[in-house]
Amino acid sequence: MAMTAEQKERLDPEMRVIADMLDAEREGDMDTYYELLKQVRVPAETLLAFAKCGDADLIREMGLNTSLADEKYGPGWLDRVG
């Protein structure tokens, strides 16, 4: 079920992006979905797990937001793990 504009307005900015992602997915607009995904701050632990599974290049290719992991693990963490 899609959210109303009023419901989206009450969300914090990052949750609003996620709601827009879900709308894009529901509409089959995967280009928009992946562009919006780049704005979401992915949890550091999630990115570390992906990198340890050999998906460091995928993280780079997708342009995922690594700011939380950069903060937690330090600059260049992805190169050290991946």
Side-chain angles (χ1 to χ4, degrees), residues 2 22 44 66 70 72 82:
L22 294 173
T66 62
D70 297 340
K72 184 169 185 170

Side-chain angles (χ1 to χ4, degrees), residues 34-70:
Y34 286 114
E35 282 304 310
L36 290 168
L37 179 60
K38 294 176 185 179
Q39 297 177 36
V40 176
R41 295 177 310 144
V42 180
E45 296 80 6
T46 301
L47 290 174
L48 183 61
F50 285 154
K52 284 184 174 183
C53 290
D55 286 333
D57 287 337
L58 181 62
I59 292 168
R60 290 183 187 97
E61 289 170 16
M62 291 184 70
L64 295 179
N65 183 331
T66 62
S67 61
L68 294 175
D70 297 340

Side-chain angles (χ1 to χ4, degrees), residues 3-49:
M3 298 179 81
T4 66
E6 284 181 354
Q7 289 171 321
K8 279 188 184 179
E9 267 308 304
R10 290 193 295 261
L11 297 173
D12 69 60
E14 195 161 56
M15 289 304 296
R16 200 171 307 131
V17 171
I18 291 170
D20 289 342
M21 285 174 56
L22 294 173
D23 287 344
E25 181 183 37
R26 192 172 13 273
E27 295 165 9
D29 185 356
M30 298 312 290
D31 289 337
T32 298
Y33 175 91
Y34 286 114
E35 282 304 310
L36 290 168
L37 179 60
K38 294 176 185 179
Q39 297 177 36
V40 176
R41 295 177 310 144
V42 180
E45 296 80 6
T46 301
L47 290 174
L48 183 61

